[in-house]
Coordinates of all heavy atoms in Angstrom, one line a residue:
M1 N 11.5 6.0 -3.5 CA 11.6 4.6 -3.4 C 12.8 4.1 -4.1 O 12.8 3.2 -4.9 CB 10.3 4.0 -4.1 CG 9.2 3.7 -3.2 SD 8.2 2.3 -3.6 CE 6.9 3.1 -4.5
G2 N 14.0 4.7 -3.9 CA 15.2 4.3 -4.6 C 15.6 2.9 -4.3 O 16.2 2.2 -5.1
M3 N 15.4 2.4 -3.1 CA 15.7 1.0 -2.7 C 14.6 0.0 -3.0 O 14.8 -1.1 -2.7 CB 16.1 1.0 -1.2 CG 17.4 1.8 -0.9 SD 17.8 1.8 0.8 CE 16.5 2.9 1.5
I4 N 13.5 0.5 -3.5 CA 12.4 -0.4 -3.8 C 11.9 -0.2 -5.2 O 11.7 0.9 -5.7 CB 11.2 0.0 -2.8 CG1 11.7 -0.1 -1.3 CG2 10.0 -0.9 -3.0 CD1 10.7 0.5 -0.3
R5 N 11.7 -1.3 -5.9 CA 11.1 -1.3 -7.2 C 9.7 -1.9 -7.2 O 9.6 -3.0 -6.9 CB 12.0 -2.1 -8.2 CG 13.3 -1.5 -8.4 CD 14.1 -2.3 -9.4 NE 15.4 -1.9 -9.5 CZ 16.4 -2.6 -9.9 NH1 16.2 -3.9 -10.3 NH2 17.6 -2.1 -9.9
P6 N 8.7 -1.2 -7.7 CA 7.4 -1.8 -7.9 C 7.5 -2.7 -9.1 O 8.0 -2.3 -10.1 CB 6.5 -0.6 -8.1 CG 7.3 0.5 -8.5 CD 8.7 0.3 -8.0
K7 N 7.0 -3.9 -9.0 CA 7.0 -4.9 -10.1 C 5.6 -5.0 -10.7 O 5.5 -5.3 -11.9 CB 7.5 -6.2 -9.6 CG 9.0 -6.1 -9.2 CD 9.5 -7.5 -8.7 CE 9.6 -8.4 -9.9 NZ 10.2 -9.7 -9.6
N8 N 4.5 -4.9 -9.9 CA 3.2 -5.2 -10.4 C 2.2 -4.5 -9.4 O 2.3 -4.5 -8.2 CB 2.9 -6.7 -10.5 CG 1.6 -7.0 -11.2 OD1 1.3 -6.3 -12.1 ND2 0.9 -8.0 -10.7
Y9 N 1.1 -4.0 -10.0 CA 0.0 -3.4 -9.3 C -1.2 -4.1 -9.7 O -1.5 -4.3 -10.8 CB -0.2 -1.9 -9.6 CG 0.9 -1.0 -9.2 CD1 2.1 -0.8 -10.0 CD2 0.8 -0.3 -8.0 CE1 3.1 0.1 -9.6 CE2 1.8 0.6 -7.6 CZ 2.9 0.8 -8.4 OH 3.9 1.7 -8.0
R10 N -2.1 -4.5 -8.7 CA -3.4 -5.0 -8.9 C -4.4 -4.1 -8.1 O -4.2 -3.9 -6.9 CB -3.6 -6.4 -8.4 CG -3.1 -7.4 -9.5 CD -3.3 -8.8 -9.0 NE -2.0 -9.0 -8.2 CZ -1.8 -10.1 -7.5 NH1 -2.6 -11.0 -7.4 NH2 -0.7 -10.1 -6.8
I11 N -5.3 -3.5 -8.8 CA -6.2 -2.5 -8.1 C -7.7 -3.1 -8.3 O -8.1 -3.4 -9.4 CB -6.1 -1.1 -8.8 CG1 -4.7 -0.6 -8.8 CG2 -7.1 -0.2 -8.1 CD1 -4.1 -0.3 -7.5
H12 N -8.4 -3.1 -7.2 CA -9.8 -3.5 -7.2 C -10.6 -2.4 -6.6 O -10.3 -1.9 -5.5 CB -10.0 -4.8 -6.4 CG -11.5 -5.2 -6.3 ND1 -12.1 -5.8 -7.3 CD2 -12.4 -5.0 -5.3 CE1 -13.4 -6.0 -6.9 NE2 -13.5 -5.5 -5.7
L13 N -11.6 -1.9 -7.4 CA -12.4 -0.8 -6.9 C -13.9 -1.2 -6.9 O -14.3 -1.9 -7.9 CB -12.3 0.4 -7.8 CG -10.9 1.1 -7.9 CD1 -10.9 2.2 -9.0 CD2 -10.5 1.6 -6.6
E14 N -14.6 -0.8 -5.9 CA -16.1 -1.0 -5.8 C -16.7 0.3 -5.6 O -16.7 0.9 -4.5 CB -16.4 -1.9 -4.6 CG -15.9 -3.3 -4.8 CD -16.4 -4.3 -3.7 OE1 -17.4 -4.0 -3.1 OE2 -15.6 -5.2 -3.5
P15 N -17.3 0.9 -6.7 CA -17.9 2.2 -6.6 C -19.3 2.1 -6.0 O -20.0 1.2 -6.1 CB -18.0 2.6 -8.1 CG -18.0 1.4 -8.9 CD -17.2 0.4 -8.1
D16 N -19.6 3.2 -5.2 CA -20.9 3.4 -4.7 C -21.5 4.6 -5.4 O -21.1 5.8 -5.1 CB -20.9 3.7 -3.2 CG -22.2 3.9 -2.6 OD1 -23.2 4.2 -3.3 OD2 -22.4 3.7 -1.3
L17 N -22.2 4.4 -6.5 CA -22.7 5.5 -7.4 C -23.7 6.4 -6.7 O -23.8 7.5 -7.1 CB -23.2 4.9 -8.7 CG -22.2 4.1 -9.5 CD1 -22.8 3.5 -10.7 CD2 -21.0 4.9 -9.8
E18 N -24.4 5.9 -5.7 CA -25.4 6.8 -5.0 C -24.7 7.8 -4.1 O -25.1 8.9 -4.0 CB -26.3 5.9 -4.2 CG -27.3 5.1 -5.1 CD -28.2 4.2 -4.3 OE1 -28.3 4.4 -3.1 OE2 -28.9 3.4 -4.9
R19 N -23.6 7.4 -3.5 CA -22.9 8.3 -2.6 C -21.6 8.9 -3.2 O -20.9 9.6 -2.5 CB -22.5 7.5 -1.3 CG -23.7 7.1 -0.5 CD -23.5 6.2 0.7 NE -22.2 6.5 1.3 CZ -21.7 5.7 2.2 NH1 -22.3 4.6 2.6 NH2 -20.5 5.9 2.8
F20 N -21.3 8.6 -4.4 CA -20.1 9.1 -5.1 C -18.8 8.8 -4.3 O -18.0 9.6 -4.1 CB -20.2 10.6 -5.4 CG -21.4 10.9 -6.3 CD1 -22.6 11.4 -5.8 CD2 -21.3 10.6 -7.7 CE1 -23.6 11.7 -6.7 CE2 -22.3 10.9 -8.6 CZ -23.5 11.4 -8.0
E21 N -18.7 7.5 -3.8 CA -17.6 7.1 -3.1 C -17.2 5.7 -3.7 O -17.9 5.1 -4.5 CB -17.9 6.9 -1.6 CG -18.3 8.1 -0.9 CD -18.6 7.9 0.6 OE1 -18.8 6.7 1.0 OE2 -18.7 8.9 1.3
F22 N -16.0 5.3 -3.3 CA -15.6 3.9 -3.7 C -14.7 3.3 -2.5 O -14.2 4.0 -1.7 CB -14.7 4.0 -4.9 CG -13.4 4.7 -4.8 CD1 -12.3 4.0 -4.5 CD2 -13.3 6.1 -5.1 CE1 -11.1 4.7 -4.4 CE2 -12.1 6.7 -5.0 CZ -11.0 6.0 -4.6
S23 N -14.7 2.0 -2.6 CA -13.8 1.2 -1.7 C -13.0 0.3 -2.6 O -13.3 0.2 -3.7 CB -14.6 0.5 -0.6 OG -15.4 -0.5 -1.3
G24 N -11.9 -0.2 -2.0 CA -11.1 -1.1 -2.8 C -9.9 -1.6 -2.1 O -9.7 -1.5 -0.9
R25 N -9.0 -2.3 -2.9 CA -7.8 -2.8 -2.4 C -6.7 -2.6 -3.5 O -7.0 -2.8 -4.7 CB -7.9 -4.3 -2.2 CG -6.6 -5.0 -1.8 CD -6.8 -6.4 -1.5 NE -6.8 -6.4 0.0 CZ -6.5 -7.5 0.7 NH1 -6.3 -8.7 0.1 NH2 -6.5 -7.5 2.0
A26 N -5.5 -2.3 -3.0 CA -4.4 -2.2 -3.9 C -3.4 -3.3 -3.5 O -3.1 -3.4 -2.3 CB -3.7 -0.9 -3.8
E27 N -3.0 -4.1 -4.4 CA -2.0 -5.1 -4.1 C -0.7 -4.8 -4.9 O -0.8 -4.8 -6.2 CB -2.5 -6.5 -4.5 CG -3.8 -6.9 -3.8 CD -4.3 -8.3 -4.2 OE1 -3.7 -9.0 -5.0 OE2 -5.5 -8.6 -3.8
I28 N 0.3 -4.5 -4.2 CA 1.5 -4.0 -4.9 C 2.7 -4.9 -4.6 O 3.1 -5.1 -3.5 CB 1.9 -2.6 -4.4 CG1 0.7 -1.6 -4.5 CG2 3.1 -2.0 -5.2 CD1 0.9 -0.3 -3.8
L29 N 3.2 -5.5 -5.7 CA 4.3 -6.4 -5.6 C 5.6 -5.6 -5.7 O 5.8 -4.8 -6.7 CB 4.3 -7.5 -6.7 CG 5.4 -8.5 -6.7 CD1 5.4 -9.3 -5.4 CD2 5.3 -9.4 -7.9
L30 N 6.4 -5.7 -4.7 CA 7.7 -4.9 -4.6 C 8.9 -5.8 -4.6 O 8.9 -6.9 -4.2 CB 7.7 -4.1 -3.3 CG 6.5 -3.2 -3.0 CD1 6.6 -2.7 -1.6 CD2 6.4 -2.0 -4.0
E31 N 10.0 -5.2 -5.1 CA 11.3 -5.9 -4.9 C 12.2 -4.9 -4.2 O 12.4 -3.7 -4.7 CB 11.9 -6.2 -6.3 CG 13.3 -6.8 -6.2 CD 13.9 -7.2 -7.6 OE1 13.5 -6.6 -8.6 OE2 14.7 -8.0 -7.6
T32 N 12.7 -5.3 -3.1 CA 13.6 -4.4 -2.3 C 15.1 -4.7 -2.7 O 15.4 -5.9 -2.8 CB 13.4 -4.5 -0.8 OG1 13.7 -5.8 -0.4 CG2 11.9 -4.2 -0.5
L33 N 15.8 -3.7 -2.9 CA 17.3 -3.9 -3.3 C 18.1 -4.1 -2.0 O 19.2 -4.5 -2.2 CB 17.7 -2.7 -4.1 CG 16.9 -2.4 -5.4 CD1 17.4 -1.2 -6.1 CD2 16.8 -3.6 -6.3
Q34 N 17.6 -3.7 -0.9 CA 18.3 -3.9 0.4 C 17.2 -3.9 1.5 O 16.1 -3.4 1.2 CB 19.4 -2.9 0.7 CG 18.9 -1.5 0.7 CD 20.1 -0.5 0.8 OE1 21.1 -0.8 1.5 NE2 20.1 0.6 0.1
P35 N 17.4 -4.4 2.7 CA 16.4 -4.4 3.7 C 15.8 -3.0 3.9 O 16.5 -2.0 4.0 CB 17.1 -5.0 4.9 CG 18.2 -5.8 4.3 CD 18.7 -5.0 3.1
V36 N 14.4 -3.0 4.0 CA 13.8 -1.7 4.3 C 12.7 -1.9 5.4 O 12.2 -3.0 5.6 CB 13.1 -1.1 3.0 CG1 14.0 -0.8 1.9 CG2 12.0 -2.1 2.5
S37 N 12.4 -0.8 6.1 CA 11.4 -0.9 7.2 C 10.3 0.1 6.9 O 9.4 0.2 7.7 CB 12.1 -0.6 8.5 OG 12.7 0.7 8.5
E38 N 10.4 0.9 5.8 CA 9.3 1.8 5.5 C 9.2 1.9 4.0 O 10.2 1.9 3.3 CB 9.6 3.2 6.1 CG 8.5 4.2 5.9 CD 8.7 5.5 6.6 OE1 9.4 6.3 6.0 OE2 8.2 5.6 7.7
V39 N 7.9 2.1 3.5 CA 7.6 2.3 2.1 C 6.8 3.5 2.0 O 5.8 3.7 2.8 CB 6.9 1.1 1.5 CG1 6.5 1.3 0.1 CG2 7.7 -0.2 1.7
T40 N 7.1 4.4 1.1 CA 6.4 5.7 0.9 C 5.8 5.6 -0.5 O 6.5 5.4 -1.5 CB 7.2 6.9 1.1 OG1 7.8 6.9 2.4 CG2 6.4 8.2 0.9
L41 N 4.5 5.9 -0.6 CA 3.8 5.9 -1.9 C 3.0 7.2 -2.1 O 2.7 7.9 -1.1 CB 2.7 4.8 -1.9 CG 3.2 3.3 -1.6 CD1 2.1 2.4 -1.2 CD2 4.0 2.8 -2.8
D42 N 2.7 7.5 -3.3 CA 1.9 8.7 -3.6 C 0.5 8.3 -3.2 O 0.0 7.2 -3.4 CB 1.9 9.1 -5.1 CG 3.3 9.6 -5.5 OD1 4.0 10.2 -4.7 OD2 3.6 9.4 -6.7
S43 N -0.3 9.3 -2.7 CA -1.6 9.0 -2.2 C -2.4 10.4 -2.2 O -1.9 11.4 -1.8 CB -1.6 8.5 -0.8 OG -2.9 8.4 -0.3
L44 N -3.6 10.3 -2.7 CA -4.5 11.5 -2.7 C -5.9 11.1 -2.4 O -6.5 10.2 -3.1 CB -4.4 12.2 -4.0 CG -5.2 13.5 -4.2 CD1 -4.8 14.5 -3.2 CD2 -5.1 14.0 -5.6
N45 N -6.5 11.7 -1.4 CA -8.0 11.5 -1.1 C -8.4 10.1 -0.8 O -9.4 9.6 -1.3 CB -8.8 12.0 -2.2 CG -8.7 13.5 -2.4 OD1 -8.4 14.2 -1.5 ND2 -8.9 14.0 -3.6
L46 N -7.5 9.3 -0.1 CA -7.9 8.0 0.3 C -8.1 7.9 1.8 O -7.3 8.5 2.6 CB -6.8 7.0 -0.1 CG -6.6 6.7 -1.6 CD1 -5.4 5.7 -1.8 CD2 -7.8 6.1 -2.2
D47 N -9.1 7.2 2.2 CA -9.3 6.9 3.6 C -9.0 5.4 3.8 O -9.7 4.5 3.4 CB -10.8 7.1 4.0 CG -11.2 8.6 4.0 OD1 -10.3 9.4 4.3 OD2 -12.3 8.9 3.6
L48 N -7.8 5.1 4.3 CA -7.4 3.8 4.5 C -8.1 3.0 5.6 O -8.4 3.6 6.7 CB -5.9 3.7 4.8 CG -5.0 3.6 3.5 CD1 -5.2 4.7 2.6 CD2 -3.6 3.4 3.9
I49 N -8.3 1.7 5.4 CA -8.9 0.8 6.4 C -7.8 0.0 7.0 O -7.8 -0.2 8.2 CB -10.0 -0.1 5.7 CG1 -11.1 0.7 5.1 CG2 -10.5 -1.1 6.7 CD1 -12.0 -0.1 4.3
G50 N -6.8 -0.4 6.3 CA -5.8 -1.2 6.8 C -4.7 -1.5 5.8 O -4.9 -1.3 4.6
C51 N -3.6 -2.0 6.3 CA -2.5 -2.4 5.4 C -1.7 -3.5 6.0 O -1.4 -3.5 7.2 CB -1.6 -1.1 5.3 SG -0.1 -1.4 4.3
V52 N -1.4 -4.5 5.2 CA -0.5 -5.6 5.6 C 0.5 -5.8 4.5 O 0.4 -5.5 3.4 CB -1.3 -6.9 5.9 CG1 -2.2 -6.8 7.0 CG2 -2.0 -7.4 4.6
A53 N 1.6 -6.4 4.9 CA 2.7 -6.8 4.0 C 2.8 -8.3 4.0 O 2.7 -8.9 5.1 CB 4.0 -6.2 4.4
R54 N 3.0 -8.9 2.8 CA 3.3 -10.3 2.7 C 4.7 -10.5 2.3 O 5.2 -10.0 1.3 CB 2.4 -11.0 1.7 CG 2.5 -12.4 1.6 CD 1.7 -13.1 0.5 NE 0.3 -12.9 0.9 CZ -0.7 -12.6 0.0 NH1 -0.4 -12.4 -1.2 NH2 -2.0 -12.5 0.4
A55 N 5.5 -11.1 3.2 CA 6.9 -11.3 3.0 C 7.4 -12.6 3.6 O 7.0 -12.9 4.8 CB 7.7 -10.1 3.6
G56 N 8.1 -13.3 2.8 CA 8.6 -14.6 3.4 C 7.5 -15.6 3.9 O 7.7 -16.3 4.8
G57 N 6.4 -15.5 3.2 CA 5.3 -16.4 3.6 C 4.5 -15.9 4.8 O 3.5 -16.6 5.2
E58 N 4.8 -14.8 5.3 CA 4.1 -14.2 6.5 C 3.3 -13.0 6.1 O 3.7 -12.2 5.3 CB 5.1 -13.8 7.6 CG 5.9 -14.9 8.3 CD 6.7 -14.3 9.4 OE1 6.1 -13.8 10.4 OE2 7.9 -14.2 9.2
L59 N 2.2 -12.8 6.8 CA 1.4 -11.6 6.7 C 1.8 -10.7 7.9 O 1.7 -11.2 9.1 CB -0.1 -11.9 6.7 CG -0.7 -12.3 5.4 CD1 -2.2 -12.6 5.6 CD2 -0.5 -11.3 4.3
L60 N 2.2 -9.5 7.7 CA 2.7 -8.6 8.7 C 1.8 -7.4 8.7 O 1.7 -6.6 7.8 CB 4.1 -8.2 8.5 CG 5.1 -9.3 8.2 CD1 6.4 -8.8 7.7 CD2 5.4 -10.1 9.5
K61 N 1.1 -7.1 9.9 CA 0.2 -5.9 10.0 C 1.1 -4.7 10.0 O 2.1 -4.7 10.8 CB -0.7 -6.0 11.2 CG -1.7 -4.9 11.3 CD -2.6 -5.1 12.4 CE -3.6 -4.0 12.4 NZ -4.7 -4.1 13.4
C62 N 0.8 -3.7 9.3 CA 1.6 -2.5 9.2 C 0.9 -1.3 9.7 O -0.3 -1.2 9.5 CB 2.0 -2.2 7.7 SG 2.8 -3.6 6.9
S63 N 1.6 -0.4 10.3 CA 1.1 0.9 10.7 C 1.4 1.8 9.5 O 2.2 1.6 8.7 CB 1.6 1.4 12.0 OG 3.0 1.6 11.9
Y64 N 0.6 2.9 9.5 CA 0.8 3.8 8.3 C 0.4 5.2 8.7 O -0.4 5.4 9.7 CB 0.0 3.4 7.1 CG -1.5 3.2 7.4 CD1 -2.4 4.3 7.3 CD2 -2.0 2.0 7.8 CE1 -3.7 4.1 7.6 CE2 -3.4 1.8 8.1 CZ -4.2 2.9 8.0 OH -5.6 2.8 8.3
T65 N 0.8 6.2 8.0 CA 0.4 7.6 8.2 C 0.2 8.2 6.8 O 0.8 7.9 5.8 CB 1.5 8.5 8.9 OG1 2.7 8.4 8.2 CG2 1.7 8.0 10.3
L66 N -0.9 9.0 6.7 CA -1.2 9.8 5.5 C -0.8 11.2 5.7 O -1.2 11.8 6.7 CB -2.7 9.6 5.2 CG -3.2 8.3 4.6 CD1 -4.7 8.2 4.7 CD2 -2.7 8.2 3.2
D67 N -0.1 11.8 4.8 CA 0.2 13.2 4.8 C -0.6 13.9 3.6 O -0.1 13.8 2.5 CB 1.7 13.4 4.7 CG 2.1 14.9 4.8 OD1 1.3 15.8 4.5 OD2 3.3 15.1 5.2
A68 N -1.7 14.5 4.0 CA -2.5 15.1 2.9 C -1.8 16.2 2.2 O -1.9 16.3 0.9 CB -3.8 15.6 3.5
K69 N -1.0 17.0 2.9 CA -0.3 18.1 2.2 C 0.7 17.6 1.2 O 0.8 18.1 0.1 CB 0.4 19.0 3.3 CG 1.1 20.2 2.7 CD 1.7 21.0 3.8 CE 2.5 22.2 3.2 NZ 3.2 22.9 4.2
E70 N 1.4 16.6 1.6 CA 2.4 16.0 0.7 C 1.9 15.0 -0.2 O 2.6 14.5 -1.1 CB 3.6 15.4 1.5 CG 4.4 16.4 2.3 CD 5.1 17.4 1.5 OE1 5.7 17.0 0.4 OE2 5.2 18.6 1.9
E71 N 0.6 14.6 -0.1 CA -0.1 13.6 -0.8 C 0.7 12.3 -0.8 O 1.0 11.7 -1.8 CB -0.3 14.0 -2.3 CG -1.2 15.3 -2.4 CD -1.4 15.8 -3.8 OE1 -0.8 15.1 -4.7 OE2 -2.0 16.8 -3.9
A72 N 1.1 11.9 0.4 CA 2.0 10.7 0.6 C 1.4 9.8 1.7 O 0.8 10.2 2.7 CB 3.4 11.1 1.0
L73 N 1.6 8.5 1.4 CA 1.3 7.4 2.4 C 2.6 6.8 2.8 O 3.3 6.3 1.9 CB 0.4 6.4 1.7 CG 0.2 5.0 2.4 CD1 -0.5 5.2 3.8 CD2 -0.5 4.1 1.5
S74 N 2.9 6.8 4.1 CA 4.1 6.1 4.6 C 3.7 4.9 5.3 O 2.9 5.0 6.3 CB 4.8 7.0 5.5 OG 5.4 8.1 4.8
V75 N 4.1 3.7 4.9 CA 3.8 2.4 5.5 C 5.0 2.0 6.3 O 6.1 1.8 5.8 CB 3.5 1.4 4.5 CG1 3.2 0.0 5.1 CG2 2.3 1.8 3.6
S76 N 4.8 1.8 7.6 CA 5.9 1.3 8.5 C 5.7 -0.2 8.7 O 4.7 -0.7 9.1 CB 5.8 2.0 9.9 OG 6.0 3.4 9.7
L77 N 6.8 -0.9 8.3 CA 6.8 -2.4 8.4 C 7.2 -2.8 9.8 O 8.1 -2.1 10.4 CB 7.7 -2.9 7.4 CG 7.4 -2.5 5.9 CD1 8.6 -2.8 5.0 CD2 6.1 -3.2 5.4
P78 N 6.6 -3.8 10.4 CA 7.0 -4.2 11.7 C 8.4 -4.8 11.8 O 8.9 -5.0 12.9 CB 5.9 -5.3 12.1 CG 5.4 -5.8 10.8 CD 5.5 -4.6 9.8
Q79 N 8.9 -5.2 10.7 CA 10.3 -5.7 10.7 C 10.9 -5.4 9.3 O 10.1 -5.1 8.3 CB 10.4 -7.2 10.9 CG 9.7 -8.0 9.8 CD 9.5 -9.5 10.2 OE1 9.1 -9.8 11.3 NE2 9.7 -10.4 9.3
K80 N 12.2 -5.3 9.2 CA 12.8 -5.1 7.9 C 12.5 -6.3 6.9 O 12.5 -7.4 7.3 CB 14.3 -4.9 8.0 CG 14.6 -3.6 8.6 CD 16.1 -3.3 8.5 CE 16.4 -1.9 9.1 NZ 17.7 -1.4 8.7
I81 N 12.2 -5.9 5.7 CA 12.0 -6.9 4.7 C 13.0 -6.7 3.5 O 13.5 -5.6 3.3 CB 10.6 -6.9 4.1 CG1 10.2 -5.6 3.5 CG2 9.6 -7.2 5.2 CD1 8.9 -5.5 2.7
S82 N 13.3 -7.8 2.8 CA 14.2 -7.7 1.7 C 13.7 -8.7 0.6 O 13.0 -9.7 0.9 CB 15.6 -8.0 2.1 OG 15.8 -9.3 2.7
G83 N 14.2 -8.5 -0.6 CA 13.7 -9.3 -1.7 C 12.3 -8.9 -2.1 O 11.9 -7.8 -2.0
E84 N 11.5 -9.9 -2.6 CA 10.1 -9.6 -3.0 C 9.2 -9.6 -1.8 O 9.3 -10.4 -0.8 CB 9.6 -10.7 -4.0 CG 10.1 -10.4 -5.4 CD 9.3 -11.3 -6.4 OE1 8.4 -12.1 -6.0 OE2 9.5 -11.1 -7.6
A85 N 8.3 -8.6 -1.8 CA 7.2 -8.5 -0.8 C 6.0 -7.9 -1.5 O 6.1 -7.4 -2.6 CB 7.7 -7.6 0.3
E86 N 4.9 -8.1 -0.9 CA 3.7 -7.5 -1.4 C 3.0 -6.7 -0.3 O 2.8 -7.1 0.8 CB 2.7 -8.7 -1.9 CG 1.5 -8.2 -2.6 CD 0.8 -9.4 -3.2 OE1 0.8 -10.5 -2.7 OE2 0.1 -9.2 -4.2
L87 N 2.5 -5.5 -0.7 CA 1.7 -4.6 0.1 C 0.3 -4.8 -0.2 O -0.1 -4.8 -1.4 CB 2.1 -3.2 0.0 CG 3.3 -2.7 0.7 CD1 3.5 -1.2 0.4 CD2 3.3 -2.9 2.2
L88 N -0.6 -5.0 0.8 CA -2.0 -5.1 0.5 C -2.7 -4.0 1.3 O -2.6 -4.0 2.5 CB -2.5 -6.5 1.1 CG -1.8 -7.7 0.6 CD1 -2.2 -9.0 1.3 CD2 -1.9 -7.9 -0.9
I89 N -3.3 -3.0 0.6 CA -3.8 -1.8 1.2 C -5.3 -1.8 0.9 O -5.7 -1.7 -0.3 CB -3.1 -0.6 0.6 CG1 -1.5 -0.7 0.8 CG2 -3.6 0.7 1.2 CD1 -0.7 0.3 0.1
D90 N -6.1 -1.7 2.0 CA -7.5 -1.6 1.8 C -8.0 -0.2 2.1 O -7.5 0.4 3.1 CB -8.2 -2.6 2.8 CG -8.0 -4.0 2.4 OD1 -8.2 -4.4 1.3 OD2 -7.6 -4.8 3.3
Y91 N -8.9 0.3 1.3 CA -9.4 1.7 1.4 C -10.8 1.7 1.1 O -11.4 0.8 0.6 CB -8.6 2.7 0.6 CG -8.3 2.2 -0.8 CD1 -9.2 2.5 -1.8 CD2 -7.2 1.5 -1.2 CE1 -9.0 2.1 -3.1 CE2 -6.9 1.1 -2.4 CZ -7.9 1.4 -3.4 OH -7.6 1.0 -4.7

């Protein structure tokens, strides 16, 4: 993430103690140093439900791929974003 700086993380978790699982949402405030169309994050053992980006007052639905071997989540943005943006990831 050399062109992207995380500024703030908000994590909400809802544990299911009977099934030993959890669901939740990560809200990540980012600052991009130049326009970007993809964000890669560390990820381990997450089943994603969806991902959107909030940039310039718009909500943009994002596609994503999980690489279990590399423990990475790659989020593809539908358009390049620059400046501040927020990723909203549901799992």
Side-chain angles (χ1 to χ4, degrees):
M1 270 210 263
M3 296 179 282
I4 303 170
R5 291 184 190 154
K7 293 180 72 176
N8 188 39
Y9 291 86
R10 277 179 277 177
I11 308 293
H12 175 77
L13 297 174
E14 291 186 29
D16 181 338
L17 299 178
E18 291 179 10
R19 294 176 30 193
F20 298 102
E21 296 178 346
F22 66 91
S23 61
R25 171 176 264 201
E27 299 176 11
I28 306 168
L29 181 61
L30 307 169
E31 178 181 23
T32 64
L33 304 178
Q34 57 185 325
V36 297
S37 59
E38 184 174 84
V39 177
T40 302
L41 304 164
D42 293 332
S43 171
L44 179 62
N45 296 332
L46 289 181
D47 292 325
L48 268 62
I49 297 169
C51 178
V52 296
R54 183 181 296 139
E58 289 185 72
L59 282 179
L60 308 167
K61 188 172 181 177
C62 303
S63 60
Y64 56 87
T65 57
L66 284 167
D67 184 334
K69 183 179 177 185
E70 296 295 321
E71 299 178 2
L73 164 65
S74 295
V75 177
S76 297
L77 305 165
Q79 65 191 44
K80 288 191 176 195
I81 59 171
S82 60
E84 277 195 358
E86 189 173 25
L87 282 180
L88 308 171
I89 304 168
D90 292 312
Y91 46 88

